[in-house]
Each structure stands twice: as structure tokens, then as C-alpha cells.
Amino acid sequence: RRAERRAGRRRERDGGGAEAPRKAKRLRGEGRGDGVRLSGDGADALRKAVRAAERRRKAEREAAEAAAAAAKERQRRQQEQQTRAEPSLLTFANSARLASAAASPVRSPACGLDRSPAALADRRSRFGDAALSASPAAAGSVSLAAMLRAGEQRKADASTASPVVGTSNSLDKRYLRLTAAPDAAAVRPPAVLREAFALAKRRWQDGEADYLATCEALKSIRQDLTVQHVRDEFTADVYETHARVALEARDPAEYHQCASLAKALHAEGVQCLGQ
């Protein structure tokens, strides 16, 4: 309106030339699109177009958020279904693994036991235990208390039995658990046991024997000392050395057994050689 008034004043001042209406039209923006100010109808149309664009962008944004939420919900449901299905798959995999392990002979690196069928049959024949010769289900039915009572009875029998005087001269002897009275011909006297003990220590220190072989040699020496009722400084040295070897090999079960027996000897007043 100000432009129109200025244009009118110019027309009045210039005498109504033809150039004044074109300038006023151009200032209102009604001619070419480079006017400085829009008319009332043009401003309303522009505002409507801006509001429509904002509503369209808002609708698109809401649709994208809804699609993302739906995708997240589908993913959560799929994860729940997989979680429900995993226990059965794990049970099947564990069953297959256990079946394959039972079918193949395995030597356990921790304790060195050969679990092949031939080795199990050999141990059953040596032990002569009816529970071991029975099926696994029958063996599992044997109560733990009965097994503990049998072990305590064997220890009591060994402690109360008369000492054996060994006559064997073998330095290398395989460790076998006693199921009957020991044979003097298979037991080594203390003098031979000292040589076997020195040999076992040298092989362990030089790396000629691994832990399983060294542990078997020391347990065999300990067994011969037990059946002969030898409880002196040499016995304490054997138990302390075996405890150190088990500690180096990270065998806690064997370490605690040897350490407890060494403490019992110390309580009786027996000390290790040279200490």
C-alpha cells in the first residue's frame, strides 16, 4: 500500500506517465517474481504452503518412527523364540558330545586315566569290585557313604596290619592301588626307595619325565613306605617333595593330600631331612 501511495504521488507529480503503474506493479511483486513484498493473497498462499509442508514432514517422521518401532518389536520376538529353542539345541549338542566322548578312548590330561573300554575292564579285574563290574546305572546306585566306609576300612586294615619287609630292587615301579595284602616281592625296601626317589627327582628337574610319570613314581614310593610302616625323615621328605611337584603342576588335590600327610608327620615330631 505504501508503494501504491508513493506511485500515486509520483503520478500526480509527473503528470500521470505510463512508467509509474509498471513501477508500482513491480514493487508489489505482481509482475516478475523478484518483488520485495508480496500482496495479501500471495502471503496467505505462501503461509498455507509452508504449513502443508510442515504437516507432510511431520507425517513422514511419524511413519518412519512407527516403522522402526515395528522392526524392533519383530527383532525382540525373534530373539525370544531363539532363546526358547536354545535349551533343546544345547541338550542335543551335549548329548552328542558325551556320546562321542564315550565311544572314543580318552586319556584325561588332568589325572592321566585311560578311559578306554580295555583299560576300564583291566581296572575292574584288578580291583575286583562288583560295583565297578556292573553297569553304569548299577554303579551309580552305590551310595557315597558305603564307598567312604570301604575306604576307611581299607586304611584301617593297612595301618593295623603287620609291616611288610620288601625285597624288590626295581627302581621304576607302576603305582597300583592295593586290593589285597601286599606281596613282599613287589615292595621295595627303604634303601631302594631312596635311590628311586632320587631318580624321580632328577628326572623331574631335568625335564626327562612329565608330571604324570613323576606323580606315579612318587605315589608308588609312598605306597611302599606305607605298607612297611616307615615314618621317618625320608618319608617326610617324600611327601613334601610330592607336594611341591603337585604345586608346580597346579594339581590341588594331590597337593592337599601330600601336605596334610606331611603336617601329620610334623605333628608326630618327624622333620624333613636337612630342615
Side-chain angles (χ1 to χ4, degrees), residues 190 193-194 197 201 221-222 225 229-242 244 258 261-275:
L193 290 177
R194 292 178 185 275
F197 179 58
K201 286 199 302 183
I221 295 172
R222 287 164 43 192
L225 290 172
H229 294 189
V230 179
R231 299 178 69 84
D232 55 5
E233 292 82 0
F234 173 62
T235 306
D237 191 12
V238 171
Y239 279 106
E240 291 185 5
T241 302
H242 198 173
R244 293 190 189 98
C258 296
L261 293 172
K263 289 179 181 179
L265 290 174
H266 294 167
E268 296 175 5
V270 179
Q271 298 296 326
C272 182
L273 291 173
Q275 296 185 5

PDB file of all heavy atoms in Angstrom, residues 190 193-194 197 201 221-222 225 229-242 244 258 261-275:
ATOM      1  N   PRO A 190      63.562 -99.616  52.099  1.00  0.00           N
ATOM      2  CA  PRO A 190      63.887 -98.188  52.161  1.00  0.00           C
ATOM      3  C   PRO A 190      65.143 -97.802  51.395  1.00  0.00           C
ATOM      4  O   PRO A 190      65.201 -96.708  50.817  1.00  0.00           O
ATOM      5  CB  PRO A 190      64.038 -97.934  53.660  1.00  0.00           C
ATOM      6  CG  PRO A 190      63.172 -98.956  54.302  1.00  0.00           C
ATOM      7  CD  PRO A 190      63.278-100.172  53.433  1.00  0.00           C
ATOM      8  N   LEU A 193      64.186 -97.531  47.892  1.00  0.00           N
ATOM      9  CA  LEU A 193      63.263 -96.410  47.732  1.00  0.00           C
ATOM     10  C   LEU A 193      64.010 -95.074  47.695  1.00  0.00           C
ATOM     11  O   LEU A 193      63.592 -94.151  46.980  1.00  0.00           O
ATOM     12  CB  LEU A 193      62.247 -96.405  48.877  1.00  0.00           C
ATOM     13  CG  LEU A 193      61.218 -97.535  48.857  1.00  0.00           C
ATOM     14  CD1 LEU A 193      60.330 -97.460  50.082  1.00  0.00           C
ATOM     15  CD2 LEU A 193      60.368 -97.482  47.589  1.00  0.00           C
ATOM     16  N   ARG A 194      65.105 -94.964  48.434  1.00  0.00           N
ATOM     17  CA  ARG A 194      65.893 -93.729  48.387  1.00  0.00           C
ATOM     18  C   ARG A 194      66.484 -93.517  46.993  1.00  0.00           C
ATOM     19  O   ARG A 194      66.496 -92.398  46.467  1.00  0.00           O
ATOM     20  CB  ARG A 194      66.997 -93.773  49.442  1.00  0.00           C
ATOM     21  CG  ARG A 194      66.470 -93.726  50.866  1.00  0.00           C
ATOM     22  CD  ARG A 194      67.601 -93.829  51.884  1.00  0.00           C
ATOM     23  NE  ARG A 194      67.105 -93.905  53.252  1.00  0.00           N
ATOM     24  CZ  ARG A 194      66.802 -92.862  54.001  1.00  0.00           C
ATOM     25  NH1 ARG A 194      66.965 -91.638  53.523  1.00  0.00           N
ATOM     26  NH2 ARG A 194      66.350 -93.021  55.233  1.00  0.00           N
ATOM     27  N   PHE A 197      63.661 -92.558  44.676  1.00  0.00           N
ATOM     28  CA  PHE A 197      63.245 -91.179  44.956  1.00  0.00           C
ATOM     29  C   PHE A 197      64.216 -90.183  44.319  1.00  0.00           C
ATOM     30  O   PHE A 197      63.800 -89.186  43.706  1.00  0.00           O
ATOM     31  CB  PHE A 197      63.163 -90.978  46.460  1.00  0.00           C
ATOM     32  CG  PHE A 197      62.758 -89.598  46.870  1.00  0.00           C
ATOM     33  CD1 PHE A 197      61.557 -89.043  46.454  1.00  0.00           C
ATOM     34  CD2 PHE A 197      63.587 -88.831  47.682  1.00  0.00           C
ATOM     35  CE1 PHE A 197      61.183 -87.766  46.830  1.00  0.00           C
ATOM     36  CE2 PHE A 197      63.215 -87.556  48.058  1.00  0.00           C
ATOM     37  CZ  PHE A 197      62.017 -87.017  47.636  1.00  0.00           C
ATOM     38  N   LYS A 201      63.255 -87.482  41.321  1.00  0.00           N
ATOM     39  CA  LYS A 201      63.509 -86.044  41.440  1.00  0.00           C
ATOM     40  C   LYS A 201      64.404 -85.548  40.303  1.00  0.00           C
ATOM     41  O   LYS A 201      64.153 -84.473  39.735  1.00  0.00           O
ATOM     42  CB  LYS A 201      64.166 -85.746  42.792  1.00  0.00           C
ATOM     43  CG  LYS A 201      63.227 -85.818  43.966  1.00  0.00           C
ATOM     44  CD  LYS A 201      63.793 -85.080  45.179  1.00  0.00           C
ATOM     45  CE  LYS A 201      65.135 -85.620  45.598  1.00  0.00           C
ATOM     46  NZ  LYS A 201      65.637 -84.933  46.816  1.00  0.00           N
ATOM     47  N   ILE A 221      56.327 -94.856  45.546  1.00  0.00           N
ATOM     48  CA  ILE A 221      57.257 -94.801  46.685  1.00  0.00           C
ATOM     49  C   ILE A 221      56.495 -94.615  47.988  1.00  0.00           C
ATOM     50  O   ILE A 221      56.797 -95.266  49.004  1.00  0.00           O
ATOM     51  CB  ILE A 221      58.275 -93.669  46.460  1.00  0.00           C
ATOM     52  CG1 ILE A 221      59.171 -93.968  45.248  1.00  0.00           C
ATOM     53  CG2 ILE A 221      59.124 -93.447  47.702  1.00  0.00           C
ATOM     54  CD1 ILE A 221      60.073 -92.828  44.848  1.00  0.00           C
ATOM     55  N   ARG A 222      55.511 -93.738  47.984  1.00  0.00           N
ATOM     56  CA  ARG A 222      54.715 -93.530  49.190  1.00  0.00           C
ATOM     57  C   ARG A 222      53.979 -94.796  49.605  1.00  0.00           C
ATOM     58  O   ARG A 222      53.865 -95.110  50.798  1.00  0.00           O
ATOM     59  CB  ARG A 222      53.715 -92.405  48.937  1.00  0.00           C
ATOM     60  CG  ARG A 222      54.323 -91.023  48.891  1.00  0.00           C
ATOM     61  CD  ARG A 222      53.361 -90.018  48.264  1.00  0.00           C
ATOM     62  NE  ARG A 222      51.987 -90.180  48.750  1.00  0.00           N
ATOM     63  CZ  ARG A 222      50.938 -89.583  48.195  1.00  0.00           C
ATOM     64  NH1 ARG A 222      51.101 -88.803  47.129  1.00  0.00           N
ATOM     65  NH2 ARG A 222      49.736 -89.754  48.695  1.00  0.00           N
ATOM     66  N   LEU A 225      56.388 -97.167  51.291  1.00  0.00           N
ATOM     67  CA  LEU A 225      56.695 -96.703  52.644  1.00  0.00           C
ATOM     68  C   LEU A 225      55.538 -96.987  53.600  1.00  0.00           C
ATOM     69  O   LEU A 225      55.754 -97.315  54.775  1.00  0.00           O
ATOM     70  CB  LEU A 225      56.998 -95.199  52.618  1.00  0.00           C
ATOM     71  CG  LEU A 225      58.302 -94.774  51.945  1.00  0.00           C
ATOM     72  CD1 LEU A 225      58.352 -93.252  51.831  1.00  0.00           C
ATOM     73  CD2 LEU A 225      59.510 -95.295  52.716  1.00  0.00           C
ATOM     74  N   HIS A 229      55.367 -99.424  57.057  1.00  0.00           N
ATOM     75  CA  HIS A 229      55.230 -98.624  58.280  1.00  0.00           C
ATOM     76  C   HIS A 229      56.485 -97.780  58.530  1.00  0.00           C
ATOM     77  O   HIS A 229      56.923 -97.637  59.680  1.00  0.00           O
ATOM     78  CB  HIS A 229      54.939 -99.518  59.481  1.00  0.00           C
ATOM     79  CG  HIS A 229      53.616-100.211  59.415  1.00  0.00           C
ATOM     80  ND1 HIS A 229      53.080-100.918  60.470  1.00  0.00           N
ATOM     81  CD2 HIS A 229      52.698-100.325  58.406  1.00  0.00           C
ATOM     82  CE1 HIS A 229      51.907-101.434  60.119  1.00  0.00           C
ATOM     83  NE2 HIS A 229      51.674-101.078  58.870  1.00  0.00           N
ATOM     84  N   VAL A 230      57.007 -97.193  57.477  1.00  0.00           N
ATOM     85  CA  VAL A 230      58.180 -96.333  57.592  1.00  0.00           C
ATOM     86  C   VAL A 230      57.687 -94.895  57.738  1.00  0.00           C
ATOM     87  O   VAL A 230      57.065 -94.337  56.826  1.00  0.00           O
ATOM     88  CB  VAL A 230      59.103 -96.475  56.373  1.00  0.00           C
ATOM     89  CG1 VAL A 230      60.302 -95.546  56.505  1.00  0.00           C
ATOM     90  CG2 VAL A 230      59.546 -97.916  56.212  1.00  0.00           C
ATOM     91  N   ARG A 231      57.968 -94.278  58.881  1.00  0.00           N
ATOM     92  CA  ARG A 231      57.550 -92.902  59.150  1.00  0.00           C
ATOM     93  C   ARG A 231      58.735 -92.167  59.759  1.00  0.00           C
ATOM     94  O   ARG A 231      58.805 -91.930  60.969  1.00  0.00           O
ATOM     95  CB  ARG A 231      56.344 -92.869  60.097  1.00  0.00           C
ATOM     96  CG  ARG A 231      55.121 -93.583  59.545  1.00  0.00           C
ATOM     97  CD  ARG A 231      53.974 -93.561  60.541  1.00  0.00           C
ATOM     98  NE  ARG A 231      53.428 -92.231  60.715  1.00  0.00           N
ATOM     99  CZ  ARG A 231      52.511 -91.684  59.918  1.00  0.00           C
ATOM    100  NH1 ARG A 231      52.058 -92.360  58.866  1.00  0.00           N
ATOM    101  NH2 ARG A 231      52.054 -90.476  60.161  1.00  0.00           N
ATOM    102  N   ASP A 232      59.678 -91.815  58.919  1.00  0.00           N
ATOM    103  CA  ASP A 232      60.876 -91.128  59.386  1.00  0.00           C
ATOM    104  C   ASP A 232      61.102 -89.882  58.537  1.00  0.00           C
ATOM    105  O   ASP A 232      60.208 -89.429  57.810  1.00  0.00           O
ATOM    106  CB  ASP A 232      62.094 -92.071  59.329  1.00  0.00           C
ATOM    107  CG  ASP A 232      62.289 -92.671  57.942  1.00  0.00           C
ATOM    108  OD1 ASP A 232      61.537 -92.291  57.013  1.00  0.00           O
ATOM    109  OD2 ASP A 232      63.195 -93.519  57.766  1.00  0.00           O
ATOM    110  N   GLU A 233      62.320 -89.317  58.625  1.00  0.00           N
ATOM    111  CA  GLU A 233      62.640 -88.096  57.882  1.00  0.00           C
ATOM    112  C   GLU A 233      62.545 -88.306  56.380  1.00  0.00           C
ATOM    113  O   GLU A 233      62.142 -87.401  55.631  1.00  0.00           O
ATOM    114  CB  GLU A 233      64.036 -87.609  58.267  1.00  0.00           C
ATOM    115  CG  GLU A 233      64.182 -87.101  59.686  1.00  0.00           C
ATOM    116  CD  GLU A 233      64.370 -88.236  60.678  1.00  0.00           C
ATOM    117  OE1 GLU A 233      64.392 -89.405  60.231  1.00  0.00           O
ATOM    118  OE2 GLU A 233      64.494 -87.958  61.884  1.00  0.00           O
ATOM    119  N   PHE A 234      62.917 -89.501  55.932  1.00  0.00           N
ATOM    120  CA  PHE A 234      62.822 -89.772  54.487  1.00  0.00           C
ATOM    121  C   PHE A 234      61.359 -89.745  54.032  1.00  0.00           C
ATOM    122  O   PHE A 234      61.037 -89.229  52.956  1.00  0.00           O
ATOM    123  CB  PHE A 234      63.461 -91.128  54.181  1.00  0.00           C
ATOM    124  CG  PHE A 234      63.270 -91.579  52.768  1.00  0.00           C
ATOM    125  CD1 PHE A 234      63.784 -90.855  51.705  1.00  0.00           C
ATOM    126  CD2 PHE A 234      62.550 -92.737  52.485  1.00  0.00           C
ATOM    127  CE1 PHE A 234      63.592 -91.273  50.393  1.00  0.00           C
ATOM    128  CE2 PHE A 234      62.360 -93.153  51.176  1.00  0.00           C
ATOM    129  CZ  PHE A 234      62.879 -92.418  50.130  1.00  0.00           C
ATOM    130  N   THR A 235      60.456 -90.282  54.833  1.00  0.00           N
ATOM    131  CA  THR A 235      59.027 -90.250  54.485  1.00  0.00           C
ATOM    132  C   THR A 235      58.512 -88.811  54.396  1.00  0.00           C
ATOM    133  O   THR A 235      57.785 -88.444  53.465  1.00  0.00           O
ATOM    134  CB  THR A 235      58.225 -91.036  55.519  1.00  0.00           C
ATOM    135  OG1 THR A 235      58.768 -92.347  55.649  1.00  0.00           O
ATOM    136  CG2 THR A 235      56.764 -91.137  55.108  1.00  0.00           C
ATOM    137  N   ALA A 236      58.924 -87.968  55.356  1.00  0.00           N
ATOM    138  CA  ALA A 236      58.512 -86.568  55.312  1.00  0.00           C
ATOM    139  C   ALA A 236      59.074 -85.866  54.082  1.00  0.00           C
ATOM    140  O   ALA A 236      58.396 -85.040  53.446  1.00  0.00           O
ATOM    141  CB  ALA A 236      58.977 -85.856  56.584  1.00  0.00           C
ATOM    142  N   ASP A 237      60.315 -86.210  53.709  1.00  0.00           N
ATOM    143  CA  ASP A 237      60.915 -85.627  52.506  1.00  0.00           C
ATOM    144  C   ASP A 237      60.140 -86.019  51.259  1.00  0.00           C
ATOM    145  O   ASP A 237      59.919 -85.205  50.356  1.00  0.00           O
ATOM    146  CB  ASP A 237      62.372 -86.070  52.407  1.00  0.00           C
ATOM    147  CG  ASP A 237      63.134 -85.303  51.336  1.00  0.00           C
ATOM    148  OD1 ASP A 237      62.596 -84.285  50.834  1.00  0.00           O
ATOM    149  OD2 ASP A 237      64.258 -85.711  50.995  1.00  0.00           O
ATOM    150  N   VAL A 238      59.707 -87.285  51.196  1.00  0.00           N
ATOM    151  CA  VAL A 238      58.938 -87.747  50.031  1.00  0.00           C
ATOM    152  C   VAL A 238      57.618 -86.987  49.911  1.00  0.00           C
ATOM    153  O   VAL A 238      57.248 -86.502  48.833  1.00  0.00           O
ATOM    154  CB  VAL A 238      58.691 -89.269  50.124  1.00  0.00           C
ATOM    155  CG1 VAL A 238      57.706 -89.716  49.051  1.00  0.00           C
ATOM    156  CG2 VAL A 238      59.996 -90.035  49.988  1.00  0.00           C
ATOM    157  N   TYR A 239      56.896 -86.843  51.025  1.00  0.00           N
ATOM    158  CA  TYR A 239      55.598 -86.162  50.977  1.00  0.00           C
ATOM    159  C   TYR A 239      55.765 -84.672  50.662  1.00  0.00           C
ATOM    160  O   TYR A 239      54.974 -84.095  49.899  1.00  0.00           O
ATOM    161  CB  TYR A 239      54.859 -86.341  52.300  1.00  0.00           C
ATOM    162  CG  TYR A 239      54.168 -87.675  52.412  1.00  0.00           C
ATOM    163  CD1 TYR A 239      54.676 -88.675  53.230  1.00  0.00           C
ATOM    164  CD2 TYR A 239      53.005 -87.936  51.702  1.00  0.00           C
ATOM    165  CE1 TYR A 239      54.044 -89.908  53.329  1.00  0.00           C
ATOM    166  CE2 TYR A 239      52.369 -89.161  51.794  1.00  0.00           C
ATOM    167  CZ  TYR A 239      52.885 -90.145  52.611  1.00  0.00           C
ATOM    168  OH  TYR A 239      52.262 -91.353  52.706  1.00  0.00           O
ATOM    169  N   GLU A 240      56.772 -84.029  51.236  1.00  0.00           N
ATOM    170  CA  GLU A 240      56.970 -82.606  50.957  1.00  0.00           C
ATOM    171  C   GLU A 240      57.402 -82.380  49.512  1.00  0.00           C
ATOM    172  O   GLU A 240      56.957 -81.424  48.860  1.00  0.00           O
ATOM    173  CB  GLU A 240      58.011 -82.035  51.926  1.00  0.00           C
ATOM    174  CG  GLU A 240      57.523 -81.966  53.364  1.00  0.00           C
ATOM    175  CD  GLU A 240      58.537 -81.290  54.274  1.00  0.00           C
ATOM    176  OE1 GLU A 240      59.562 -80.805  53.754  1.00  0.00           O
ATOM    177  OE2 GLU A 240      58.298 -81.256  55.491  1.00  0.00           O
ATOM    178  N   THR A 241      58.256 -83.261  49.008  1.00  0.00           N
ATOM    179  CA  THR A 241      58.663 -83.133  47.600  1.00  0.00           C
ATOM    180  C   THR A 241      57.479 -83.339  46.671  1.00  0.00           C
ATOM    181  O   THR A 241      57.300 -82.604  45.680  1.00  0.00           O
ATOM    182  CB  THR A 241      59.773 -84.142  47.289  1.00  0.00           C
ATOM    183  OG1 THR A 241      60.888 -83.911  48.162  1.00  0.00           O
ATOM    184  CG2 THR A 241      60.224 -84.011  45.844  1.00  0.00           C
ATOM    185  N   HIS A 242      56.655 -84.339  46.972  1.00  0.00           N
ATOM    186  CA  HIS A 242      55.476 -84.582  46.126  1.00  0.00           C
ATOM    187  C   HIS A 242      54.521 -83.388  46.190  1.00  0.00           C
ATOM    188  O   HIS A 242      53.894 -83.019  45.190  1.00  0.00           O
ATOM    189  CB  HIS A 242      54.766 -85.856  46.576  1.00  0.00           C
ATOM    190  CG  HIS A 242      53.848 -86.408  45.534  1.00  0.00           C
ATOM    191  ND1 HIS A 242      53.213 -87.614  45.645  1.00  0.00           N
ATOM    192  CD2 HIS A 242      53.443 -85.902  44.329  1.00  0.00           C
ATOM    193  CE1 HIS A 242      52.467 -87.833  44.582  1.00  0.00           C
ATOM    194  NE2 HIS A 242      52.579 -86.790  43.771  1.00  0.00           N
ATOM    195  N   ARG A 244      55.394 -80.251  46.626  1.00  0.00           N
ATOM    196  CA  ARG A 244      55.983 -79.180  45.797  1.00  0.00           C
ATOM    197  C   ARG A 244      55.773 -79.448  44.313  1.00  0.00           C
ATOM    198  O   ARG A 244      55.450 -78.540  43.542  1.00  0.00           O
ATOM    199  CB  ARG A 244      57.479 -79.055  46.102  1.00  0.00           C
ATOM    200  CG  ARG A 244      57.801 -78.552  47.490  1.00  0.00           C
ATOM    201  CD  ARG A 244      59.275 -78.228  47.619  1.00  0.00           C
ATOM    202  NE  ARG A 244      59.649 -77.948  48.998  1.00  0.00           N
ATOM    203  CZ  ARG A 244      60.203 -78.841  49.808  1.00  0.00           C
ATOM    204  NH1 ARG A 244      60.451 -80.065  49.363  1.00  0.00           N
ATOM    205  NH2 ARG A 244      60.509 -78.521  51.050  1.00  0.00           N
ATOM    206  N   CYS A 258      49.164 -84.594  49.999  1.00  0.00           N
ATOM    207  CA  CYS A 258      50.550 -84.719  50.461  1.00  0.00           C
ATOM    208  C   CYS A 258      50.846 -83.740  51.593  1.00  0.00           C
ATOM    209  O   CYS A 258      51.547 -84.074  52.560  1.00  0.00           O
ATOM    210  CB  CYS A 258      51.508 -84.493  49.296  1.00  0.00           C
ATOM    211  SG  CYS A 258      51.381 -85.715  47.978  1.00  0.00           S
ATOM    212  N   LEU A 261      49.379 -85.013  54.910  1.00  0.00           N
ATOM    213  CA  LEU A 261      50.156 -86.126  55.466  1.00  0.00           C
ATOM    214  C   LEU A 261      51.496 -85.636  56.003  1.00  0.00           C
ATOM    215  O   LEU A 261      51.987 -86.137  57.025  1.00  0.00           O
ATOM    216  CB  LEU A 261      50.351 -87.202  54.406  1.00  0.00           C
ATOM    217  CG  LEU A 261      49.066 -87.930  53.981  1.00  0.00           C
ATOM    218  CD1 LEU A 261      49.336 -88.844  52.798  1.00  0.00           C
ATOM    219  CD2 LEU A 261      48.496 -88.728  55.150  1.00  0.00           C
ATOM    220  N   ALA A 262      52.108 -84.664  55.324  1.00  0.00           N
ATOM    221  CA  ALA A 262      53.362 -84.101  55.830  1.00  0.00           C
ATOM    222  C   ALA A 262      53.136 -83.379  57.150  1.00  0.00           C
ATOM    223  O   ALA A 262      53.958 -83.472  58.083  1.00  0.00           O
ATOM    224  CB  ALA A 262      53.959 -83.162  54.790  1.00  0.00           C
ATOM    225  N   LYS A 263      52.016 -82.663  57.281  1.00  0.00           N
ATOM    226  CA  LYS A 263      51.708 -81.995  58.550  1.00  0.00           C
ATOM    227  C   LYS A 263      51.487 -83.015  59.671  1.00  0.00           C
ATOM    228  O   LYS A 263      51.855 -82.768  60.823  1.00  0.00           O
ATOM    229  CB  LYS A 263      50.474 -81.118  58.377  1.00  0.00           C
ATOM    230  CG  LYS A 263      50.707 -79.886  57.536  1.00  0.00           C
ATOM    231  CD  LYS A 263      49.435 -79.074  57.398  1.00  0.00           C
ATOM    232  CE  LYS A 263      49.666 -77.842  56.520  1.00  0.00           C
ATOM    233  NZ  LYS A 263      48.418 -77.047  56.350  1.00  0.00           N
ATOM    234  N   ALA A 264      50.866 -84.152  59.337  1.00  0.00           N
ATOM    235  CA  ALA A 264      50.674 -85.190  60.347  1.00  0.00           C
ATOM    236  C   ALA A 264      52.017 -85.737  60.829  1.00  0.00           C
ATOM    237  O   ALA A 264      52.205 -85.984  62.029  1.00  0.00           O
ATOM    238  CB  ALA A 264      49.815 -86.311  59.772  1.00  0.00           C
ATOM    239  N   LEU A 265      52.957 -85.908  59.895  1.00  0.00           N
ATOM    240  CA  LEU A 265      54.299 -86.358  60.296  1.00  0.00           C
ATOM    241  C   LEU A 265      54.990 -85.308  61.158  1.00  0.00           C
ATOM    242  O   LEU A 265      55.666 -85.633  62.135  1.00  0.00           O
ATOM    243  CB  LEU A 265      55.129 -86.672  59.054  1.00  0.00           C
ATOM    244  CG  LEU A 265      54.720 -87.920  58.262  1.00  0.00           C
ATOM    245  CD1 LEU A 265      55.531 -88.019  56.971  1.00  0.00           C
ATOM    246  CD2 LEU A 265      54.910 -89.175  59.098  1.00  0.00           C
ATOM    247  N   HIS A 266      54.843 -84.041  60.802  1.00  0.00           N
ATOM    248  CA  HIS A 266      55.451 -82.981  61.602  1.00  0.00           C
ATOM    249  C   HIS A 266      54.851 -82.937  63.004  1.00  0.00           C
ATOM    250  O   HIS A 266      55.553 -82.658  63.985  1.00  0.00           O
ATOM    251  CB  HIS A 266      55.264 -81.632  60.909  1.00  0.00           C
ATOM    252  CG  HIS A 266      56.003 -81.542  59.612  1.00  0.00           C
ATOM    253  ND1 HIS A 266      55.767 -80.531  58.706  1.00  0.00           N
ATOM    254  CD2 HIS A 266      56.958 -82.335  59.064  1.00  0.00           C
ATOM    255  CE1 HIS A 266      56.553 -80.703  57.653  1.00  0.00           C
ATOM    256  NE2 HIS A 266      57.284 -81.791  57.842  1.00  0.00           N
ATOM    257  N   ALA A 267      53.530 -83.208  63.087  1.00  0.00           N
ATOM    258  CA  ALA A 267      52.896 -83.227  64.404  1.00  0.00           C
ATOM    259  C   ALA A 267      53.440 -84.360  65.277  1.00  0.00           C
ATOM    260  O   ALA A 267      53.446 -84.260  66.508  1.00  0.00           O
ATOM    261  CB  ALA A 267      51.383 -83.363  64.250  1.00  0.00           C
ATOM    262  N   GLU A 268      53.897 -85.436  64.641  1.00  0.00           N
ATOM    263  CA  GLU A 268      54.491 -86.554  65.391  1.00  0.00           C
ATOM    264  C   GLU A 268      55.952 -86.289  65.745  1.00  0.00           C
ATOM    265  O   GLU A 268      56.588 -87.132  66.384  1.00  0.00           O
ATOM    266  CB  GLU A 268      54.385 -87.846  64.567  1.00  0.00           C
ATOM    267  CG  GLU A 268      52.963 -88.291  64.311  1.00  0.00           C
ATOM    268  CD  GLU A 268      52.905 -89.495  63.386  1.00  0.00           C
ATOM    269  OE1 GLU A 268      53.987 -90.023  63.035  1.00  0.00           O
ATOM    270  OE2 GLU A 268      51.786 -89.917  63.021  1.00  0.00           O
ATOM    271  N   GLY A 269      56.483 -85.162  65.308  1.00  0.00           N
ATOM    272  CA  GLY A 269      57.884 -84.844  65.597  1.00  0.00           C
ATOM    273  C   GLY A 269      58.860 -85.223  64.520  1.00  0.00           C
ATOM    274  O   GLY A 269      60.073 -85.110  64.704  1.00  0.00           O
ATOM    275  N   VAL A 270      58.350 -85.672  63.380  1.00  0.00           N
ATOM    276  CA  VAL A 270      59.218 -86.059  62.253  1.00  0.00           C
ATOM    277  C   VAL A 270      59.444 -84.838  61.390  1.00  0.00           C
ATOM    278  O   VAL A 270      58.470 -84.188  60.963  1.00  0.00           O
ATOM    279  CB  VAL A 270      58.591 -87.203  61.448  1.00  0.00           C
ATOM    280  CG1 VAL A 270      59.483 -87.575  60.273  1.00  0.00           C
ATOM    281  CG2 VAL A 270      58.342 -88.417  62.338  1.00  0.00           C
ATOM    282  N   GLN A 271      60.674 -84.533  61.105  1.00  0.00           N
ATOM    283  CA  GLN A 271      61.020 -83.391  60.271  1.00  0.00           C
ATOM    284  C   GLN A 271      61.693 -83.880  58.995  1.00  0.00           C
ATOM    285  O   GLN A 271      62.212 -84.998  58.922  1.00  0.00           O
ATOM    286  CB  GLN A 271      61.947 -82.430  61.013  1.00  0.00           C
ATOM    287  CG  GLN A 271      61.343 -81.819  62.257  1.00  0.00           C
ATOM    288  CD  GLN A 271      60.137 -80.949  61.929  1.00  0.00           C
ATOM    289  OE1 GLN A 271      60.092 -80.308  60.879  1.00  0.00           O
ATOM    290  NE2 GLN A 271      59.163 -80.916  62.829  1.00  0.00           N
ATOM    291  N   CYS A 272      61.660 -83.004  57.975  1.00  0.00           N
ATOM    292  CA  CYS A 272      62.265 -83.363  56.699  1.00  0.00           C
ATOM    293  C   CYS A 272      63.783 -83.377  56.829  1.00  0.00           C
ATOM    294  O   CYS A 272      64.366 -82.684  57.674  1.00  0.00           O
ATOM    295  CB  CYS A 272      61.832 -82.373  55.621  1.00  0.00           C
ATOM    296  SG  CYS A 272      62.462 -82.751  53.982  1.00  0.00           S
ATOM    297  N   LEU A 273      64.435 -84.155  55.978  1.00  0.00           N
ATOM    298  CA  LEU A 273      65.886 -84.250  56.008  1.00  0.00           C
ATOM    299  C   LEU A 273      66.507 -82.901  55.683  1.00  0.00           C
ATOM    300  O   LEU A 273      66.138 -82.254  54.711  1.00  0.00           O
ATOM    301  CB  LEU A 273      66.370 -85.305  55.007  1.00  0.00           C
ATOM    302  CG  LEU A 273      66.042 -86.770  55.345  1.00  0.00           C
ATOM    303  CD1 LEU A 273      66.439 -87.664  54.198  1.00  0.00           C
ATOM    304  CD2 LEU A 273      66.754 -87.189  56.614  1.00  0.00           C
ATOM    305  N   GLY A 274      67.480 -82.454  56.529  1.00  0.00           N
ATOM    306  CA  GLY A 274      68.196 -81.230  56.255  1.00  0.00           C
ATOM    307  C   GLY A 274      67.432 -79.982  56.589  1.00  0.00           C
ATOM    308  O   GLY A 274      67.874 -78.883  56.270  1.00  0.00           O
ATOM    309  N   GLN A 275      66.262 -80.086  57.251  1.00  0.00           N
ATOM    310  CA  GLN A 275      65.454 -78.908  57.580  1.00  0.00           C
ATOM    311  C   GLN A 275      65.060 -78.950  59.045  1.00  0.00           C
ATOM    312  O   GLN A 275      64.970 -80.016  59.644  1.00  0.00           O
ATOM    313  CB  GLN A 275      64.210 -78.846  56.692  1.00  0.00           C
ATOM    314  CG  GLN A 275      64.521 -78.665  55.217  1.00  0.00           C
ATOM    315  CD  GLN A 275      63.251 -78.492  54.401  1.00  0.00           C
ATOM    316  OE1 GLN A 275      62.172 -78.416  54.955  1.00  0.00           O
ATOM    317  NE2 GLN A 275      63.403 -78.429  53.099  1.00  0.00           N
TER     318      GLN A 275
END
